[in-house]
Amino acid sequence: DFQSQVAGDCDMTGDEAEITAYIRKLISSLPLSSGERRFIGENSDDLNRKVNIGGVIDYADKVFAEISDSGIYMPYKKDFAKNMVCALIRLGGITVGAVGNTARDKADDLTGYDEIMKAKDFVKMCERLNVPILTFINTSGYSRSIDTERFMKKQLADLAGVIALASVPKVSALAGKAVGTLPLFMASAGMGFD
């Protein structure tokens, strides 16, 4: 659990059957190669279906699961830096990298060092695999701590660089709060977002 919750070195923990099922689902969601522009999979969902995200707008993981085709939702490091949700989802049969802020409880929806690092690593992975990126922004700003003050500036600059240099399609959605500079990095037209 330390490796998945504190260090962020693995995507999940579980027994052999759970890990095998996760790996099979993950492999079926990825492009066959990095040279492939995007993966077109089977899609039985109506692209114009109505989804109700009003009750879960503060929880990016629930929003991503609701909007994805047939609920296909593959979390990335789900037990690490829980206020930043990163996942592979499928929209219109295309695998999309989804990144969003979430609040596990209403008192703590702030973004910290680990959340920025997780988002940066996920965006890099999406760029390497030619997977389009969807960002979902709902944040009250950054957490305040000594580590945040010491290391956040470099991580934010690195995140901005990774996002700006990503050549994959990028789309953003602002929902709820957009406090601080994080929305500028993860949702602005200047960073290449539509």
Side-chain angles (χ1 to χ4, degrees):
D1 286 342
F2 174 82
Q3 295 299 326
S4 64
Q5 295 173 5
V6 180
D9 290 335
C10 63
D11 278 10
M12 69 155 315
T13 56
D15 61 29
E16 185 177 348
E18 291 171 328
I19 292 171
T20 302
Y22 177 86
I23 291 170
R24 284 188 175 133
K25 191 173 177 184
L26 176 64
I27 289 173
S28 72
S29 296
L30 294 174
L32 297 176
S33 72
S34 62
E36 196 173 79
R37 189 59 181 155
R38 54 187 161 200
F39 175 77
I40 306 295
E42 296 175 13
N43 179 27
S44 60
D45 274 357
D46 178 8
L47 290 175
N48 298 312
R49 75 187 187 285
K50 183 177 180 179
V51 293
N52 183 8
I53 59 172
V56 296
I57 201 75
D58 289 329
Y59 302 94
D61 51 348
K62 293 178 181 177
V63 170
F64 296 152
E66 180 68 27
I67 66 172
S68 66
D69 297 346
S70 303
I72 295 173
Y73 170 80
M74 290 292 308
Y76 173 82
K77 298 183 181 184
K78 73 175 181 153
D79 294 326
F80 176 68
K82 291 184 177 184
N83 284 355
M84 183 69 72
V85 174
C86 300
L88 293 173
I89 65 174
R90 198 159 300 156
L91 295 174
I94 300 170
T95 298
V96 174
V99 181
N101 304 93
T102 197
R104 291 290 158 223
D105 63 57
K106 292 292 186 182
D108 185 22
D109 68 344
L110 299 174
T111 301
Y113 175 83
D114 288 340
E115 284 82 8
I116 297 299
M117 189 172 66
K118 178 180 177 179
K120 179 182 74 170
D121 291 345
F122 184 73
V123 169
K124 282 182 181 178
M125 181 190 76
C126 290
E127 170 67 9
R128 284 192 301 266
L129 295 172
N130 284 319
V131 172
I133 299 168
L134 166 68
T135 60
F136 183 82
I137 306 300
N138 186 4
T139 182
S140 293
Y142 303 114
S143 62
R144 303 293 182 262
S145 70
I146 292 172
D147 284 343
T148 299
E149 294 298 323
R150 288 181 61 208
F151 303 113
M152 186 72 95
K153 295 178 289 259
K154 182 179 182 333
Q155 288 298 323
L156 284 170
D158 289 349
L159 175 63
V162 166
I163 289 174
L165 293 174
S167 61
V168 296
K170 298 174 274 192
V171 176
S172 63
L174 294 174
K177 300 165 285 216
V179 179
T181 55
L182 187 63
L184 295 175
F185 296 139
M186 292 184 62
S188 72
M191 292 292 187
F193 283 91
D194 288 331

